[in-house]
């Protein structure tokens, strides 16, 4: 059997290992952490369990596909529910809105709370679906860097519909043209943050994202987000994939422009027929291939946003909140300028609160809630993070107190914090960015590295820093694209 090494047991690494094991390859996964999942992990503290990274789950079919491919019944391994309410939105002026899963109900709620026309919302969601379908068959399931993708029938259909894809407008320009109410513009602009981008710069093409939440659905794994990692690990182990934890790879071995194996931190050399790096692509080149030619232009692209996350054990319950909650800033444009131009965090940041104990009560002690509070933050460029975090913590606590009309700080029973530095340290993602390169210009899709190296034979890439992008669904798609490239 041909032997393949995967560097990193992030979700992209695990998924590609499963796909290759199904093709008959002998797969070994090298992971520097003592646990799998990379960003998709969880921890427990004083009776509170937290999903440490991703909290929003869309396209569960991409997870199920891996079980089906392996001849298993997905439901025996992994179960989830569809959310009836997707997100609770709050503004400083007292406006609140619950984004319902059913498009009709969602549009009714928006019309009721903001006066925006119901039909406009429904048209927007339909257009979002149309764009998604054009792009999905074309770029999200195929390599952007193979001629076959560009001359396919789907590509031709894409070219014919180019103006409709929104490449020539920013997301904000398109949304301001469509909606009259600034709150509705803000609500839909927020989807740019799903891949760490700036709605005032990213192309309107990203208006495909609401389609996933409203037309396809937002979901919650019954055992928490960590069950995506846990259930896939169970499957991977059943398929005979070998996982080596606490085993950092220090070098990819190259002879005559061909990858032949790797060397671990302990100095051990191992020979493989091919290597898939699930390590951030910039770090793969800089740290594991120091003597090779680097695609500098791609590697030096500005990074997506990172985040400051407060994991709070809260000794109270808030019935007005749901699983996903957004407390919007009053000046959205300023928030992104502060992040992407000034590399800092606004004094009034939008606050995202995820409370998994709403659906999974055993995630918190009785009468309490586990709050995952995320504030978008710039990628790490050596800022004075301790200062930024202290200030942001105060700003966030006052915002929550204002909006929920309580003296909130007294309910914080325990606290852990994740920030761009620690994200970088724990997963070696470049500058702690959550989604690799940013998509803050219309060529962004072309400024991501391919799923293979065109310079070194037998070297492949998977995960959030390469094509098609970050976030669980795109990482799972990248695993599919990469596995299909390996014959
Ligand atoms: P990563 O998770 O980046 O893992 C890479 C792995 O490689 C790590 O385990 C690392 O230890 C290992 N590794 C690196 N270098 C080496 C080496 N030299 N040797 C051995 N092992 C190595 N996505 C969503 O879909 N929805 C969300 O709601 C969402 N929210 C997020 C919130 C936060 C706080 C974070 C951090 C991320 C969020 N994301 C979300 C993004 C999502 O988590 C990532 O896009 C995805 O998990 C990245 O997976 P990956 O395959 O790229 O690997």
């Amino acid at each position: 059997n041909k032997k393949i090494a995967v560097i990193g047991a992030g979700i992209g690494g695990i998924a590609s290992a499963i796909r290759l094991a199904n093709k008959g390859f002998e797969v070994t996964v090298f992971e520097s952490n003592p646990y799998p999942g990379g960003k998709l992990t969880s921890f427990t503290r004083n009776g509170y369990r937290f999903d440490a990274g991703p909290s929003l789950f869309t396209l569960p079919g991409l997870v199920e596909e891996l079980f089906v491919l392996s001849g298993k019944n997905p439901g025996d391994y992994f179960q989830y529910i569809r959310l009836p309410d997707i997100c609770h939105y709050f503004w400083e002026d007292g406006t609140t809105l619950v984004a319902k899963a059913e498009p009709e109900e969602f549009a009714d709620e928006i019309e009721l709370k903001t006066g925006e026309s119901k039909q406009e919302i429904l048209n927007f969601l339909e257009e979002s679906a149309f764009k998604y379908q054009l792009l999905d068959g074309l770029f999200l399931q195929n390599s952007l860097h193979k001629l076959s993708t560009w001359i396919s029938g789907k590509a031709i259909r894409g070219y014919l519909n180019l103006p409709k894809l929104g490449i020539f407008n920013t997301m904000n320009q398109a949304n301001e043209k469509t909606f009259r109410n600034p709150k509705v513009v803000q609500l839909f602009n927020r989807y740019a943050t799903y891949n760490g981008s700036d709605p005032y710069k990213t192309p309107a093409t990203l208006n495909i994202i609401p389609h996933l939440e409203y037309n396809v659905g937002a979901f919650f794994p019954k055992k928490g987000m960590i069950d995506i990692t846990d259930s896939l690990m169970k499957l991977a182990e059943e398929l005979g994939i070998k996982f080596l934890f606490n085993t950092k790879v220090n070098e990819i071995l190259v002879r005559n422009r061909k990858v032949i194996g790797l060397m671990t931190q302990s100095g051990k050399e191992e020979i493989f027929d091919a290597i898939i790096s699930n390590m951030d692509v910039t770090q793969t080149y800089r740290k594991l291939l120091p003597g090779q030619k680097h695609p500098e232009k791609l590697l030096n692209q500005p990074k997506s946003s990172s985040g400051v996350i407060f994991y709070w054990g809260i000794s109270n319950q808030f019935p007005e909140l749901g699983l996903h909650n957004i407390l919007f800033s009053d000046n959205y444009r300023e928030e992104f300028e502060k992040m992407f131009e000034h590399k800092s965090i606004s004094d009034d940041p939008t606050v995202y609160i995820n409370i998994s104990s709403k659906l999974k009560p055993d995630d918190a002690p009785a009468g309490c809630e586990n709050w995952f509070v995320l504030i978008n933050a710039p990628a790490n460029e050596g800022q004075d993070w301790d200062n930024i975090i202290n200030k942001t913590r105060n700003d966030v606590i006052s915002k929550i107190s204002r909006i929920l009309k309580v003296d909130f700080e007294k309910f914080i029973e325990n606290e852990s914090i994740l920030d761009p530095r620690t994200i970088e340290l724990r997963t070696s993602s470049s500058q702690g960015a959550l989604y690799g390169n940013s998509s803050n210009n219309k060529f962004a899709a072309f400024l991501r590295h391919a799923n293979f190296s065109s310079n070194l034979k037998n070297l492949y890439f998977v995960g959030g820093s390469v094509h098609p992008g970050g976030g669980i669904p795109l990482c799972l798609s990248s695993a599919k694209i990469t596995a299909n490239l390996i014959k």
Side-chain angles (χ1 to χ4, degrees):
N1 276 8
K2 290 218 162 171
K3 288 170 65 180
I4 298 206
V6 178
I7 303 172
I11 197 68
I14 301 172
S16 46
I18 290 173
R19 288 185 175 274
L20 290 163
N22 272 296
K23 285 181 148 193
F25 292 102
E26 193 182 316
V27 188
T28 308
V29 183
F30 295 80
E31 170 54 57
S32 53
N33 286 326
Y35 56 85
K39 298 183 180 78
L40 187 38
T41 178
S42 101
F43 69 95
T44 298
R45 202 176 154 193
N46 300 338
Y48 292 91
R49 189 198 70 87
F50 296 94
D51 284 312
S55 53
L56 180 75
F57 183 38
T58 52
L59 294 178
L62 293 174
V63 176
E64 289 179 315
E65 201 176 304
L66 294 165
F67 294 103
V68 174
L69 185 76
S70 313
K72 312 279 186 185
N73 173 22
D76 294 344
Y77 292 78
F78 179 67
Q79 293 182 355
Y80 57 88
I81 55 158
R82 183 169 179 180
L83 302 179
D85 295 339
I86 297 179
C87 188
H88 293 234
Y89 288 99
F90 297 82
W91 282 268
E92 292 271 356
D93 68 0
T95 307
T96 64
L97 186 159
V98 178
K100 301 278 180 189
E102 290 310 320
E104 287 274 340
E105 276 184 70
F106 174 50
D108 277 334
E109 168 86 352
I110 294 193
E111 189 172 87
L112 180 73
K113 297 295 176 65
T114 70
E116 188 72 52
S117 125
K118 173 180 178 181
Q119 198 50 49
E120 211 59 83
I121 306 293
L122 293 174
N123 292 349
F124 177 85
L125 292 180
E126 242 175 61
E127 250 178 64
S128 173
F130 174 79
K131 286 182 200 159
Y132 180 81
Q133 276 138 17
L134 273 182
L135 288 176
D136 179 44
L138 186 56
F139 296 136
L140 300 184
Q141 305 207 24
N142 294 294
S143 173
L144 253 190
H145 308 82
K146 292 279 178 194
L147 182 65
S148 53
T149 304
W150 292 94
I151 55 173
S152 64
K154 281 179 181 147
I156 312 291
R157 202 171 150 238
Y159 305 147
L160 293 175
N161 286 291
L162 214 55
K164 290 191 196 146
L165 284 176
I167 304 168
F168 306 110
N169 277 333
T170 67
M171 175 183 268
N172 178 64
Q173 283 165 344
N175 292 344
E176 277 189 340
K177 262 192 214 157
T178 311
F179 304 115
R180 283 175 303 132
N181 189 301
K183 291 195 174 76
V184 181
V185 174
Q186 188 175 28
L187 189 151
F188 285 109
N189 276 355
R190 183 176 81 90
Y191 288 94
T193 66
Y194 279 34
N195 77 353
S197 300
D198 176 342
Y200 303 90
K201 291 190 180 138
T202 203
T205 319
L206 285 194
N207 276 336
I208 61 174
I209 302 175
H211 162 69
L212 297 182
E213 269 189 22
Y214 298 105
N215 298 325
V216 185
F219 302 86
F220 181 73
K222 284 188 178 169
K223 295 182 185 164
M225 293 298 285
I226 188 61
D227 200 36
I228 301 174
T229 298
D230 288 348
S231 61
L232 289 178
M233 277 302 289
K234 182 163 183 257
L235 173 67
E237 276 158 6
E238 282 174 15
L239 292 171
I241 297 165
K242 195 161 130 198
F243 284 86
L244 302 172
F245 292 106
N246 296 307
T247 311
K248 187 173 175 185
V249 173
N250 263 12
E251 194 182 336
I252 293 178
L253 305 173
V254 180
R255 298 277 179 282
N256 303 324
R257 294 183 61 190
K258 220 188 215 178
V259 160
I260 57 154
L262 52 75
M263 188 174 73
T264 61
Q265 196 170 29
S266 63
K268 194 172 168 207
E269 292 194 355
E270 300 207 32
I271 301 304
F272 288 96
D273 296 294
I275 290 187
I276 301 181
S277 180
N278 179 219
M279 181 184 188
D280 178 281
V281 66
T282 306
Q283 305 278 33
T284 304
Y285 278 103
R286 303 254 189 263
K287 301 215 167 125
L288 308 189
L289 292 162
Q292 301 297 324
K293 196 174 149 213
H294 294 181
E296 290 299 337
K297 187 170 177 220
L298 297 189
L299 304 189
N300 292 330
Q301 285 304 307
K303 298 294 169 239
S304 76
S305 61
S306 182
V308 169
I309 300 101
F310 299 100
Y311 306 92
W312 284 333
I314 299 293
S315 62
N316 192 22
Q317 290 185 320
F318 291 86
E320 62 272 55
L321 299 179
L323 175 67
H324 302 292
N325 310 276
I326 287 286
L327 278 48
F328 266 127
S329 71
D330 261 349
N331 190 343
Y332 216 34
R333 192 184 282 270
E334 189 267 344
E335 184 175 347
F336 287 93
E337 266 170 24
K338 192 80 189 217
M339 184 158 53
F340 287 106
E341 313 300 330
H342 305 285
K343 318 285 181 193
S344 192
I345 298 180
S346 150
D347 297 342
D348 175 29
T350 293
V351 177
Y352 166 70
I353 306 168
N354 176 262
I355 311 173
S356 69
S357 63
K358 292 280 182 195
L359 296 181
K360 195 173 166 294
D362 62 349
D363 278 353
C368 303
E369 289 179 341
N370 65 337
W371 283 34
F372 163 109
V373 180
L374 177 136
I375 292 85
N376 292 320
N380 183 20
E381 296 187 14
Q383 295 91 323
D384 181 355
W385 283 111
D386 292 337
N387 242 328
I388 296 179
I389 291 167
N390 272 335
K391 183 178 175 312
T392 300
R393 186 180 187 277
N394 289 332
D395 292 339
V396 167
I397 289 172
S398 357
K399 189 172 181 77
I400 296 174
S401 301
R402 276 196 311 274
I403 290 189
L404 297 184
K405 301 189 174 63
V406 282
D407 171 16
F408 175 73
E409 190 164 12
K410 64 173 190 272
F411 299 121
I412 304 176
E413 202 172 64
N414 67 63
E415 172 177 83
S416 310
I417 301 177
L418 187 70
D419 66 57
R421 293 167 304 187
T422 34
I423 294 171
E424 182 167 3
L425 210 64
R426 286 186 200 166
T427 60
S428 78
S429 85
S430 190
Q431 298 177 232
L434 299 190
Y435 306 95
N437 290 347
S438 83
S439 299
N440 287 341
N441 69 65
K442 45 174 154 319
F443 307 110
F446 305 98
L447 295 170
R448 274 184 183 274
H449 199 285
N451 302 88
F452 59 94
S453 160
S454 43
N455 203 33
L456 299 174
K457 208 164 175 256
N458 302 331
L459 177 60
Y460 299 86
F461 298 95
V462 74
S465 67
V466 295
H467 178 72
I472 300 166
L474 294 188
C475 289
L476 293 173
S477 299
S478 82
K480 192 170 178 175
I481 296 171
T482 305
N484 284 342
L485 291 171
I486 302 178
K487 300 286 182 264

